[in-house]
Amino acid sequence: MTAVPQTPAETEPSVASVPPPAGPAPAPGAKRSLALALLAGAAGAALALLASGRTWAEGTAVLAQGELPRTVTGADVTGVPGALAVVGLAALVAVFAVRRAGRLAVAGLLTLSGAGIVAAAVRGNSDTSALREKAATAVGLTGADVHHVTHTGWPWVAAAGGLLLLVAGLLALVQGRHWPAMSGRYERTPGGARGPRRAPPAPDLDRPEEIWKSLDRGEDPTR
């Protein structure tokens, strides 16, 4: 009994059936630094935004009839921590959307945002100009004096948030090149052409809406 010779299509594996090689998995150290940067950056931005809306200083304006208590929030003292917290949070998200030089630039912006929050919070902890302005508005006299000035701990909470953002930025600068980026599924190939598109599924002839959709696309649903 003679054996039937096999055709090349039967003996050689199909190219389409061979799965593409998987990319290199990130190292365990890169995963840890990535998780730490995400937690530190998100927590730092949240702390800075929270502290900006809280009371930073209290005092009393002197009136002819007595004393009038006045308070100022972090946003009254300086708007820098709140604004830089938003910038830092956006930079933290953008770190994963860019690569190479772009990632370094965004990581530098994240680092500067954290450092700016720390500097503004430390300076605002001893600032009384906003409290004096509120006292002058209440009294109706320019340069009104404020007595019994006390500062809360919220400026230091904002500084702690800035420090966490600073740590996240430094981690992105040092370890960011090992972190994964967003999927390149929608990126163009080096030649400028897009990758192969998936063919649309065959319409279900038992569903009228599918037939109408095929006709709208200029396709023949009966093929």
Side-chain angles (χ1 to χ4, degrees):
M1 184 176 181
T2 59
V4 179
Q6 295 182 345
T7 62
E10 295 176 345
T11 58
E12 296 180 359
S14 174
V15 177
S17 63
V18 179
K31 291 183 178 180
R32 286 193 294 268
S33 63
L34 172 60
L36 181 59
L38 285 174
L39 290 175
L47 285 177
L49 287 173
L50 176 64
S52 296
R54 302 299 179 177
T55 299
W56 281 26
E58 301 173 347
T60 55
V62 179
L63 300 174
Q65 298 83 6
E67 296 181 344
L68 182 63
R70 296 282 90 184
T71 61
V72 289
T73 64
D76 296 328
V77 176
T78 173
V80 172
L84 289 183
V86 176
V87 173
L89 190 60
L92 181 65
V93 175
V95 164
F96 305 98
V98 294
R99 301 180 184 181
R100 298 183 183 89
R103 176 167 289 184
L104 289 176
V106 175
L109 179 61
L110 178 60
T111 305
L112 291 176
S113 298
I117 292 175
V118 173
V122 172
R123 182 178 179 181
N125 181 61
S126 58
D127 188 281
T128 59
S129 58
L131 197 58
R132 293 179 184 277
E133 290 179 3
K134 278 206 169 184
T137 302
V139 176
L141 297 174
T142 304
D145 198 7
V146 181
H147 300 278
H148 311 295
V149 177
T150 58
H151 297 274
T152 67
W154 285 108
W156 299 112
V157 175
L163 185 61
L164 288 175
L165 279 173
L166 178 61
V167 170
L170 292 176
L171 284 173
L173 285 173
V174 176
Q175 297 289 335
R177 64 183 181 275
H178 303 299
W179 294 350
M182 283 186 175
S183 174
R185 180 173 54 181
Y186 301 104
E187 293 182 357
R188 291 180 178 270
T189 58
R194 293 183 181 274
R197 299 178 60 184
R198 293 183 180 179
D204 186 0
L205 298 181
D206 294 332
R207 301 179 62 184
E209 62 272 15
E210 294 294 332
I211 298 177
W212 283 111
K213 290 180 180 178
S214 298
L215 292 174
D216 289 339
R217 292 194 297 265
E219 301 173 357
D220 185 3
T222 61
R223 288 185 302 174

